[in-house]
């Protein structure tokens, strides 16, 4: 399905590109990584190499609008007890953009909301904050955005043929039924407030799921934000999540940035969040040693499991190359605390990654 979409996009754009003025760009990333987990116990080791080439073609029009094609593949070879090789389409979109509007169709990333780590609005992506490459699978979608002159913006999207779990989904979507939704984001009292909604049909029950979300971000000397999301299934409240966050850079040395977020989650039915089933806390400390070096510490706490997750990263960045070394301790919970995906990685571990941008 994705290969057919990519072929159609290529034909659509290049039929226009060769009829007028156009430009193109080719770039990408190559990464090498290796590490291990449960190093004091089972001593599990892993490694891999990844290349993500990215092609972009663009035709400009006299009124300032343009038509753009973006194509990218993800080629990855990894070892964790055995070798595994993967090659898949990563992004394939055609977009048309004017001064105030954008229309994008194809395999794309859709992400929004101000939260950094605990994200009720992680609806369509699974970005891991500890991943230096920020890799996430895209969704087959059509997205329309309109921007007004006072920074209000409107989003409308439709998704189709997405048969994998997205974001924080626990139930699979019926891929043969379209999903749809939208978002409006407006400036309000010196900050921004957004309202989002989404509708999909669940594969197992064939029932509709409705999501509604409210978020906001303000800078009042310190950064303040919130995200809240509610899921309705079978005409009942299925899940409620709220994140409250803040960040501030202290004048210590080159500047110590501190980010804190708190998220209660309630799975049971009801109207108000009176008895959350889970309380999550996230705290990060980031310090630039100099223009090239930075260290970051990130910790999560789960009240329901009474477990703490620790992650420490050192990064050195050149013009085209970045080197990342990390140490971590993850309790054995059976899944990735950052993305919700199944994972066996636990215990004390370490990882090194080198990324080359070409």
């Amino acid at each position: 399905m994705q290969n057919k979409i990519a072929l159609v996009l290529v034909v659509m754009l290049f039929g226009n590109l060769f009829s007028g003025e156009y430009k193109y760009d080719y770039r990408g990333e190559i990464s090498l990584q290796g590490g291990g987990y449960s190093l004091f116990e089972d001593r599990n080791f892993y490694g891999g190499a990844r290349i993500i080439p990215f092609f972009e073609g663009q035709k400009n029009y006299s009124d300032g609008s343009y038509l753009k094609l973006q194509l990218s593949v993800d080629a990855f070879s990894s070892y964790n007890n055995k070798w595994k090789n993967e090659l898949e389409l990563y992004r394939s979109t055609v977009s048309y953009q004017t001064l105030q509007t954008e229309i994008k169709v194809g395999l794309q990333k859709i992400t929004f909301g101000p939260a950094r780590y605990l994200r009720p609005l992680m609806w369509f992506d699974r970005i891991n904050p500890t991943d230096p490459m920020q890799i996430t699978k895209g969704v087959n979608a059509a997205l329309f955005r309109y921007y007004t002159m006072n920074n209000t913006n409107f989003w409308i999207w439709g998704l189709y043929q997405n048969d994998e779990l997205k974001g924080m989904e626990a139930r699979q979507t019926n891929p043969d039924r379209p999903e749809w939704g939208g978002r409006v984001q407006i400036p309000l009292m010196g900050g921004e407030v957004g309202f989002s909604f989404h509708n999909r049909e669940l594969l197992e029950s064939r029932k509709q799921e409705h999501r509604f979300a409210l978020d906001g971000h303000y800078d009042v000397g310190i950064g303040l934000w919130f995200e809240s999301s509610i899921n309705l299934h079978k005409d009942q409240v299925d899940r409620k999540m709220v994140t409250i966050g803040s960040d501030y850079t202290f004048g210590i040395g080159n500047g110590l940035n501190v980010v804190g977020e708190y998220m209660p989650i309630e799975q049971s039915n009801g109207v108000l969040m009176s008895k959350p089933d889970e309380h999550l806390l996230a705290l990060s400390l980031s310090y630039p040693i100099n223009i090239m070096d930075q260290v970051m510490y990130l910790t999560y706490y789960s009240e329901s499991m009474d477990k703490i997750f620790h992650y420490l990263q050192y990064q050195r960045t050149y013009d085209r190359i970045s080197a990342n070394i990390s140490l971590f301790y993850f309790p054995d919970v059976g899944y990735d605390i950052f993305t919700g995906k199944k994972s066996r990685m636990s215990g004390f571990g370490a990882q090194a990654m080198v990324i080359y941008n070409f």
Side-chain angles (χ1 to χ4, degrees), residues 173-325:
T173 302
N174 182 357
D176 297 323
R177 301 288 295 180
E179 307 173 61
W180 58 276
R183 172 176 172 84
V184 57
Q185 184 173 309
I186 62 174
L188 182 66
M189 300 174 62
E192 290 185 328
V193 173
F195 172 76
S196 309
F197 70 93
H198 186 68
N199 174 268
R200 67 177 181 134
E201 181 180 285
L202 302 181
L203 180 63
E204 183 177 355
S205 66
R206 302 291 174 167
K207 298 292 185 178
Q208 297 294 310
E209 179 193 76
H210 310 280
R211 305 177 196 165
F212 301 92
L214 183 68
D215 64 271
H217 182 273
Y218 293 88
D219 190 346
V220 290
I222 62 173
L224 296 173
W225 60 85
F226 71 91
E227 283 187 13
S228 59
S229 176
I230 183 170
N231 289 17
L232 304 179
H233 178 229
K234 297 181 180 179
D235 300 323
Q236 294 181 325
V237 176
D238 188 39
R239 181 170 61 182
K240 300 183 288 290
M241 295 178 288
V242 177
T243 288
I244 301 172
S246 178
D247 79 322
Y248 185 75
T249 300
F250 293 89
I252 302 174
N254 296 322
L256 175 66
N257 180 253
V258 180
V259 179
E261 290 184 333
Y262 163 64
M263 174 196 276
I265 303 173
E266 185 175 348
Q267 303 286 357
S268 57
N269 296 328
V271 178
L272 299 176
M273 187 168 287
S274 56
K275 296 181 180 179
D277 303 290
E278 171 69 293
H279 298 267
L280 294 175
L281 292 169
L283 175 69
S284 73
L285 308 175
S286 180
Y287 183 79
I289 301 173
N290 51 49
I291 195 172
M292 301 175 67
D293 302 283
Q294 178 170 299
V295 292
M296 187 267 286
Y297 169 71
L298 174 61
T299 181
Y300 278 51
Y301 172 70
S302 166
E303 186 269 342
S304 66
M305 295 183 290
D306 193 25
K307 295 183 183 296
I308 302 177
F309 302 73
H310 301 278
Y311 179 83
L312 178 65
Q313 180 190 75
Y314 163 77
Q315 182 179 70
R316 185 173 181 84
T317 304
Y318 300 91
D319 289 340
R320 291 184 175 270
I321 298 175
S322 67
N324 303 267
I325 300 173

Side-chain angles (χ1 to χ4, degrees), residues 51-114:
I51 178 171
I52 302 181
F54 182 86
F55 173 81
E56 181 177 282
Q58 180 173 314
K59 177 182 178 181
N60 298 315
Y61 297 97
S62 58
D63 61 357
S65 63
Y66 58 84
L67 186 67
K68 180 186 294 184
L69 166 74
Q70 295 178 316
L71 281 175
S72 181
V73 297
D74 183 4
F76 187 72
S77 180
S78 62
Y79 176 82
N80 190 352
N81 297 324
K82 63 178 181 179
W83 281 102
K84 182 179 180 181
N85 301 306
E86 298 181 25
L87 176 63
E88 60 184 13
L89 198 59
Y90 187 61
R91 300 286 185 265
S92 60
T93 61
V94 163
S95 59
Y96 175 73
Q97 188 162 337
T98 68
L99 180 63
Q100 292 182 254
T101 63
E102 178 186 16
I103 302 173
K104 181 181 288 187
V105 180
L107 182 64
Q108 58 187 287
K109 179 178 75 172
I110 301 178
T111 180
F112 45 82

Side-chain angles (χ1 to χ4, degrees), residues 141-158:
L143 174 65
F144 170 79
R145 286 188 281 204
Y146 176 75
Y147 304 88
T148 68
M149 292 303 182
N150 71 340
N151 291 326
T152 297
N153 56 81
F154 301 89
W155 305 36
I156 300 175
W157 59 73

